[in-house]
Amino acid sequence: MSTQHVMLSRRRSIGVRVGPVLIGGGAPIVIQSMTNTDTVDAEATARQAQELAAAGSELVRITVNTEKAAAQVARIREKLDAMGCGVPLIGDFHYNGHKLLTKFPDCARALAKYRINPGNVGMGEKRDTQFAIMIEKAIEHDRPVRIGVNWGSLDQDLLTRMMDENARLSEPRDAEEVMREALIVSALSSATRAEALGLSRDHIVLSCKVSGVQKLISVYRDLAARCDYALHLGLTEAGMGSKGIVASTAALGVLLQEGIGDTIRISLTPEPGGDRTREVIVAQEILQTMGLRSFTPLVTACPGCGRTTSTVFQELANSIQAYVRSQMPIWRGKYNGVEDLNLAVMGCVVNGPGESKHADIGISLPGSGEAPAAPVFIDGKKVTTLHGRNIAQDFQRIVDEYVERRYGKAGSD
């Protein structure tokens, strides 16, 4: 009983090739992430990029903000290649990208895509010139560009002009509405300018990021209706912990359901010392729970109640999810389709057997006062009952045997 994929109607967009990865053009939605190391530290940056890629990030963005950072980009690429990690790197440029791409051609070549923020590419008369230099470098090295507008660094000249024009109307629009329109105008006019300079449409990705859920939905609905460029989705500052996860899921879930979005990033603020790969896992889980892509077997587990005073089912659910995620780098190469495997770890007799029967493999652990036995169901049928202290190890063995039996032949075809 593999996961049933929801066939949502996708907005038609132009495909953009970033190394071996295709964004848009009907391709599966691509997951991105970003390092938070100092790019000058090539070893640490390469290591974190590799960790993000191993977790499932298909593109990794790095900050390129100084000459010292730009000088290390080619070394970072070399280190990743030596690790056997081919994940494409994206250079995040602000203020001085025109200088860095010109002075460090090795950096320009090592990057698979450039991110340009039109709000801070240059000030006044220098803006057009410095934007043009970056586009010319992208053309020279045959690199795509994401024109990434951000409401925290919106082109103030553009915004002021649009606000003034709005104020002169007989019925002025709300200031927030004007700001949303300014985001879209900045993105589209910059894309038009890039094309006029010679950058082809299949080398342009657009984004208009804000930090509010409803604002993001409104902006992207309008942007998607007015262009066929590939679109990058994400809240610009989603936040920490559950707040960041909930906000990202609420915003992106609506847009993805409407077929809007070709690549996503979940911009979580990590806990102090926290794992940067969390943002990749959240992105995967959004896409997988929506039925848009499959990455790793997911575990269905009940929330617990007064019937489940024991923590055994919680511990087993956590350990089995961690186990299958850790096995995926191996399984992915050996077992075709294993990412669709559906597991259930339930805590009592009320919904346990029923939920377990709906999963490929399910186990119903005893609740409070129930007999100390855990029936296991495979493909809807009860196959055994586990007892004793080794239930976790026994269930893991059953999962391994099932994966080999069901997916082993398909993986070797």
Side-chain angles (χ1 to χ4, degrees), residues 64-67 93-101 120-121:
V64 189
N65 58 333
T66 65
E67 291 192 0
F93 294 99
H94 298 274
Y95 309 110
N96 59 355
H98 60 292
K99 293 180 180 179
L100 299 179
L101 287 171
N120 57 31
V121 74

Side-chain angles (χ1 to χ4, degrees), residues 3 17 32 48 55 59 94 104 139 142 162 178 219 239-240 297 313-314 324 328 339 367 386 392 400:
T3 303
R17 182 70 61 180
Q32 299 192 33
Q48 189 176 79
L59 299 172
H94 298 274
F104 297 92
I139 295 169
D142 192 24
M162 292 183 65
V178 177
V219 167
M240 298 180 69
F313 84 94
Q314 298 164 330
V324 297
M328 276 308 294
E339 62 274 7
L386 302 180
D400 285 334

Side-chain angles (χ1 to χ4, degrees), residues 138-296:
I139 295 169
E140 177 184 343
H141 298 286
D142 192 24
R143 296 295 188 264
V145 168
R146 171 161 72 94
I147 296 173
V149 183
N150 189 308
W151 79 333
S153 52
L154 183 58
D155 181 343
Q156 290 303 298
D157 291 342
L158 171 65
L159 180 60
T160 298
R161 184 172 69 253
M162 292 183 65
M163 286 291 187
D164 289 344
E165 291 171 354
N166 182 64
R168 291 194 291 269
L169 296 176
S170 58
E171 296 183 9
R173 295 179 294 173
D174 179 82
E176 186 174 292
E177 184 180 351
V178 177
M179 177 175 279
R180 290 200 302 268
E181 177 66 12
L183 287 165
I184 296 170
V185 169
S186 178
L188 293 177
S189 62
S190 296
T192 299
R193 169 75 170 146
E195 286 194 61
L197 290 166
L199 190 67
S200 62
R201 292 176 68 81
D202 63 358
H203 278 54
I204 298 174
V205 179
L206 298 186
S207 67
C208 288
K209 290 191 175 184
V210 299
S211 57
V213 171
Q214 296 296 344
K215 294 181 181 68
L216 191 85
I217 292 170
S218 295
V219 167
Y220 272 93
R221 279 175 173 165
D222 288 348
L223 179 62
R226 290 157 65 173
C227 73
D228 58 0
Y229 295 110
L231 300 182
H232 171 86
L233 300 186
L235 290 170
T236 186
E237 295 102 7
M240 298 180 69
S242 60
K243 186 270 180 186
I245 294 171
V246 170
S248 295
T249 304
L252 271 61
V254 170
L255 293 169
L256 293 170
Q257 185 72 19
E258 295 179 3
I260 298 170
D262 302 291
T263 177
I264 66 173
R265 186 209 169 190
I266 308 302
S267 300
L268 295 181
T269 303
E271 302 290 341
D275 190 346
R276 190 67 169 179
T277 61
R278 183 62 179 155
E279 67 177 53
V280 179
I281 294 171
V282 172
Q284 289 180 331
E285 290 177 347
I286 289 172
L287 295 179
Q288 186 153 350
T289 55
M290 290 187 69
L292 295 171
R293 288 188 67 182
S294 293
F295 300 94
T296 189

